Amino acid sequence: MLDYSLIQEAADRLKKRVRRTELIHSHHFSDTLAYPIYFKCENLQRTGSFKIRGALNFMTSQPRESLRNGVITASAGNHAQGVAFSADLLGVKATVYMPEATPLQKVLATRDYGAEVVLTGKNFDEAYAAAVQAGKSSGALFVHPFDDPLVMAGQGTIGLEVLEEIPDLANILVPIGGGGLIAGIVSAIKETHPHVRVIGVESAAAPSMHYSLKKGSIMTAPLTVTLADGIAVKRVGKKTYPIVRDLVDEVVLVEEEEIAQAIVALLERTKLLVEGAGAVTLAALLNQRVRDIAGKTVCVLSGGNIDVKTIALVVERGLLAAGRYLKLKVELDDVPGSLARLSADIAETRANISLITHDRRSKALPIGRAEVLLELETRGFDHIQQVVGYLNSQGYEVEVMK
């Protein structure tokens, strides 16, 4: 376990420097899941995520001389902003190495805080290796994104805040990337409330902690593209792994469609904008990834730094996953009135056409036939079945698109 006194000291150090984020009770999700649900809104934190806690705690704990050559780090985005903000606050230079595919919003925000940004590598681990090498050459102090006791202690202050407001807490769900956030929180909570169930959540596209726990040692996990880019780490920390192994009760995985659906649900039902890495906790609950759960339950929404292009993609995927959006391809006879008849038949199903494309020139189509691509607003999977069934009954050749 992380030394509990480090977390208490971090709380004192950060008290007037970071936001004590809101802990919101959700009536909707409590009713849906049949137990009390609360959200710890680190998406509303300064810089848009919890990462400022660890970065600032680490940097303000250092002797001034060690900051003389500035600081350097690697990040997928949120830690970058935490370090950049903290460096600006302390008046020191910050250099941040970020993967080339980092969302533009996170890159621009990091630069706005005054840091020099270097885009390199296909993923966090490649950017991390480049940052470590550059730090050795420049003499800048390396601020680890997760595998440092002071960083973990800063993140652990979230656990203290939750317990102060909900002393009878039963469960807390925490996103896992490198493991610093959950290592800090579980250390803070288990010290005084060992009965609280602490559950980690990862994307199935980046299952580094789940994979390592299954194998019994730290392993490099395969990565694929994920909406939860903030927790897409190939290899967890040497210091975080044993804490998670010994103290965390369970680590579960969620799929991309489930993450998208959770982001949309949070937007619609709580008016909270949360990035993929932050939404994995709610995704786990909505999709019954955690068994036998009851009592007051907190989902840590770890960040809200999501760019507009990703929001558009996520909303579409989330609506698809919830049965609220349907794409169809239909072939028609290329004669006057065919398209009007199709539109009238769709109206009979009470689905709403949001986009329609009519093509009669494709070489793949027989002469005298036309292809229509439709995007429909629907009211769930039962409604989708009704729409497709009705169109089939009217003689249309219908293909559901994914």
Side-chain angles (χ1 to χ4, degrees):
M1 186 183 293
L2 183 68
D3 188 341
Y4 186 67
S5 65
L6 287 180
I7 303 173
Q8 293 176 307
E9 290 168 6
D12 291 337
R13 193 175 289 118
L14 299 178
K15 188 176 297 182
K16 296 181 180 179
R17 290 170 165 156
V18 302
R19 179 175 183 171
R20 183 188 176 100
T21 53
E22 290 78 1
L23 188 60
I24 298 173
H25 176 248
S26 170
H27 295 284
H28 170 76
F29 290 111
S30 297
D31 292 343
T32 300
L33 295 167
Y35 49 85
I37 295 294
Y38 299 78
F39 296 122
K40 180 60 172 170
C41 298
E42 287 296 294
N43 58 308
L44 303 179
Q45 183 59 262
R46 298 178 76 171
T47 74
S49 91
F50 73 96
K51 285 288 191 176
I52 188 176
R53 295 176 183 261
L56 189 56
N57 186 55
F58 175 88
M59 292 168 64
T60 53
S61 300
Q62 306 302 314
R64 190 67 189 181
E65 179 63 21
S66 66
L67 301 174
R68 180 170 51 87
N69 294 323
V71 294
I72 192 167
T73 195
S75 170
N78 288 338
H79 178 65
Q81 293 174 63
V83 169
F85 177 88
S86 301
D88 183 60
L89 188 67
L90 298 174
V92 300
K93 178 184 176 183
T95 304
V96 180
Y97 281 66
M98 306 176 80
E100 293 171 355
T102 301
L104 180 61
Q105 184 268 345
K106 293 184 178 182
V107 174
L108 295 178
T110 304
R111 287 176 176 158
D112 286 345
Y113 287 122
E116 177 187 351
V117 175
V118 180
L119 296 176
T120 184
K122 297 178 181 179
N123 51 51
F124 164 77
D125 298 86
E126 292 183 6
Y128 173 83
V132 170
Q133 186 60 41
K136 291 177 180 177
S137 302
S138 66
L141 178 66
F142 189 81
V143 186
H144 203 287
F146 49 83
D147 209 26
D148 181 273
L150 291 171
V151 171
M152 287 185 269
Q155 326 303 25
T157 59
I158 295 171
L160 298 183
E161 291 176 9
V162 169
L163 288 177
E164 286 177 14
E165 295 190 50
I166 310 179
D168 55 343
L169 178 68
N171 315 281
I172 185 167
L173 283 82
V174 185
I176 298 182
L181 175 61
I182 195 167
I185 289 176
V186 74
S187 297
I189 287 177
K190 294 288 188 178
E191 175 73 21
T192 58
H193 292 65
H195 62 280
V196 173
R197 194 174 173 195
V198 179
I199 301 152
V201 188
E202 289 183 300
S203 164
S208 53
M209 186 65 77
H210 186 273
Y211 186 63
S212 296
L213 292 171
K214 185 177 180 180
K215 295 294 184 180
S217 62
I218 298 175
M219 305 291 291
T220 299
L223 294 184
T224 54
V225 177
T226 174
L227 290 170
D229 58 284
I231 53 174
V233 175
K234 278 187 175 182
R235 195 173 179 88
V236 299
K238 293 180 180 178
K239 296 182 177 70
T240 64
Y241 172 77
I243 296 174
V244 174
R245 179 195 62 204
D246 295 344
L247 297 180
V248 172
D249 296 277
E250 187 177 1
V251 175
V252 300
L253 304 177
V254 291
E255 301 293 338
E256 293 303 296
E257 289 75 14
E258 296 165 349
I259 298 171
Q261 192 173 354
I263 293 172
V264 173
L266 284 162
L267 269 173
E268 286 193 326
R269 296 298 182 174
T270 67
K271 314 310 176 199
L272 292 171
L273 181 61
V274 180
E275 63 185 279
V280 296
T281 51
L282 179 60
L285 294 182
L286 292 178
N287 293 280
Q288 289 80 51
R289 291 291 183 264
V290 185
R291 296 180 180 178
D292 303 321
I293 194 165
K296 293 182 179 179
T297 300
V298 169
C299 290
V300 177
L301 306 180
S302 57
N305 293 317
I306 183 170
D307 65 56
V308 175
K309 286 177 63 178
T310 303
I311 293 171
L313 172 64
V314 162
V315 168
E316 181 174 325
R317 291 190 66 164
L319 292 175
L320 279 168
R324 303 266 305 282
Y325 189 60
L326 175 63
K327 293 183 178 181
L328 295 178
K329 181 165 71 174
V330 182
E331 276 196 26
L332 302 174
D333 290 328
D334 188 19
V335 296
S338 291
L339 186 59
R341 175 174 165 260
L342 173 62
S343 298
D345 285 334
I346 290 173
E348 286 293 319
T349 70
R350 311 308 298 169
N352 188 40
I353 299 173
S354 60
L355 182 66
I356 186 168
T357 304
H358 183 255
D359 183 9
R360 55 158 60 99
R361 298 184 178 88
S362 173
K363 293 180 180 179
L365 289 169
I367 293 175
R369 298 285 283 174
E371 182 180 87
V372 179
L373 299 178
L374 297 152
E375 296 183 11
L376 309 178
E377 296 175 5
T378 50
R379 300 190 300 275
F381 293 109
D382 289 342
H383 189 209
I384 286 174
Q385 290 181 344
Q386 293 170 13
V387 172
V388 175
Y390 181 77
L391 293 178
N392 283 331
S393 74
Q394 298 302 304
Y396 295 102
E397 296 179 16
V398 178
E399 181 183 346
V400 177
M401 310 293 288
K402 293 183 178 181

